[in-house]
Amino acid sequence: MPWPLENEYYSFAIVLQEYKDTHPDFEYSITGIDIDPISIGKAKKAIYKGNNLPVLYNKYQKYVLHGKGNAKGFFTLDPAIRHRCHFFNANLLDFEHH
């Protein structure tokens, strides 16, 4: 199964969070838009099966939280990252320039 599209946003957020950790005054926010409401729902939950975890450099592993107990086999991302990523359902064609 491929790494879902919303995770491109999260991958970028991981890099930005790494920068923020060493530059506390740096702020970021990421907005993702997709036409598919199911994809948006998955992005907002940010809970994935462990076998969908892409290979990450070791310095980024600290941002991945692995499930325990009933959530074993799943992962999510650090809340500092999830809270800076916002996802909305929309069709970009609806944003016509007037």
Side-chain angles (χ1 to χ4, degrees), residues 3 11 14 53-61 63-64 77:
W3 184 229
S11 296
I14 288 171
L53 181 63
V55 176
L56 297 173
Y57 292 110
N58 285 337
K59 69 180 181 177
Y60 299 134
Q61 291 292 331
Y63 301 115
V64 177
L77 298 171

Side-chain angles (χ1 to χ4, degrees), residues 91-96:
N91 185 338
L92 292 177
L93 296 176
D94 293 339
F95 295 100
E96 288 184 47

Side-chain angles (χ1 to χ4, degrees), residues 9 30 85:
Y9 296 108
I30 295 176
C85 294

Side-chain angles (χ1 to χ4, degrees), residues 9-69:
Y9 296 108
Y10 285 129
S11 296
F12 186 50
I14 288 171
V15 173
L16 292 175
Q17 186 63 42
E18 177 73 13
Y19 183 81
K20 181 170 178 45
D21 287 350
T22 57
H23 300 82
D25 292 335
F26 175 74
E27 289 297 331
Y28 71 93
S29 177
I30 295 176
T31 301
I33 298 172
D34 197 299
I35 194 169
D36 179 22
I38 294 172
S39 294
I40 294 300
K42 288 179 182 178
K44 286 180 177 181
K45 287 182 184 177
I47 299 172
Y48 304 98
K49 289 185 180 181
N51 60 353
N52 287 343
L53 181 63
V55 176
L56 297 173
Y57 292 110
N58 285 337
K59 69 180 181 177
Y60 299 134
Q61 291 292 331
K62 63 187 171 188
Y63 301 115
V64 177
L65 306 176
H66 297 276
K68 298 176 183 167

